[in-house]
Amino acid sequence: MPAFRYVVCDVFTDTPLTGNQLAVFTDARELPEEKLQPLARELNYSETVFVYPATADGAHALIRIFTPGVEVPFAGHPTLGSAFVLAGPLQLGEIRLETGSGVIPVRLEREGARIVFGRMEQPVPVVAAYGDEAGLLAALGVERSELPVEVYDNGLQHVFVVLGSEEEVAGLRPDLGRLADVPEVLGVNCIAGSGTRWKTRMFIPSGGTAEDPATGSAAGPLALHLARHGRIAFGDEIEITQGVEIQRPSKLYARVDGSADRIERVEVGGSAVVVARGEFRL
C-alpha cells in the first residue's frame, strides 16, 4: 500500500503541545481526491493541509486546506504552519503559498537555520453588518457588544463581538447547538482588551470545531475591526491571546496599515514548532 507522509506542527506558539495543531501532507500528488476530507476528519485537527506543485506564477507551492467538515479557500494557521514546514529545508527568507484566496507571501525570521517567526500578508477582508445580532448574542449568552457586530470575509467569514472585560470572555458558555445552526460556516469571535493587548475566543461549530485554539484568519480582521472603530491606530501591532480555556494557549500578532478608506496591508505573525512526523498507508 502507498504511504502518504505528513508533519504535525503546533502553530502560533513556540512551545510544543500548545497553540493550534496542524497536519501537513507535504506531497499530496498521489493522494486520491476522495481521501482528502476523510483524512482531515481522521486527524480531527481544526485544519489539515495537502501540498501540491504551484500553478500560479511566483508561488512555491499550492496548499489545499480542510477542516474536519469542509474545504476552505484560506485559513491563517495552516498557511503559517505550512510556511514553517516547507521553507525550513529550502532555507527561504520568504515563501509564497498559493491558496484558494490567492498567493500569500510569508516572511520568515531565523535563528541560525531554525525558523522562529513568520509574518504573512493576508487578503484584505470585505466587511458587512451581521444580519441576526440578537440571535447571535443570545446564543453566546451575552447582552450586548461594545462595537458594531460585523462580518469580515477574507476567504473565511468571521463575526466579532466585543465584550467589556477579559474575564467576561473567559467565562463564556455559548450554546454551541444554536451557533452550529447559522446558515454559513462562520467563525464567532468574542474579544476584549485595550491598547495593543487583546484576548479572544473563537467558536465555529458549523465548521466542525467547537472552539479554535488560534485563528490566524481572524487575527487580521480583528485588528482591522479595532482600527476601524478607533480602539487602536492603523499601523499598531497588537498581541492576541487565544486558546487558554481549552488548554492550548496561543499568541498571535496582527497589524493593519492604511486607513479606513484605503487598507494597504493586513499582516499576521507568529511562531510554530514541528512536534511529530508520520504516515498513512491507504
Side-chain angles (χ1 to χ4, degrees), residues 182-213:
V182 297
E184 65 278 310
V185 177
L186 180 72
V188 179
N189 299 264
C190 300
I191 67 176
S194 62
T196 59
R197 302 175 72 89
W198 290 80
K199 175 182 178 66
T200 185
R201 294 177 69 186
M202 199 283 277
F203 308 99
I204 188 167
S206 57
T209 301
E211 182 170 353
D212 200 35

Side-chain angles (χ1 to χ4, degrees), residues 1 3 36 68 76-78 100 118 135 147 160-161 165-166 177 193 207 210 217 224-225 234 245 263 269 271:
M1 292 186 291
L36 303 184
H77 101 272
L147 295 179
F160 292 91
V161 175
S165 70
E166 293 188 11
S217 60
L224 178 57
H225 190 59
F234 282 90
E245 288 71 24
I263 300 163
S271 299

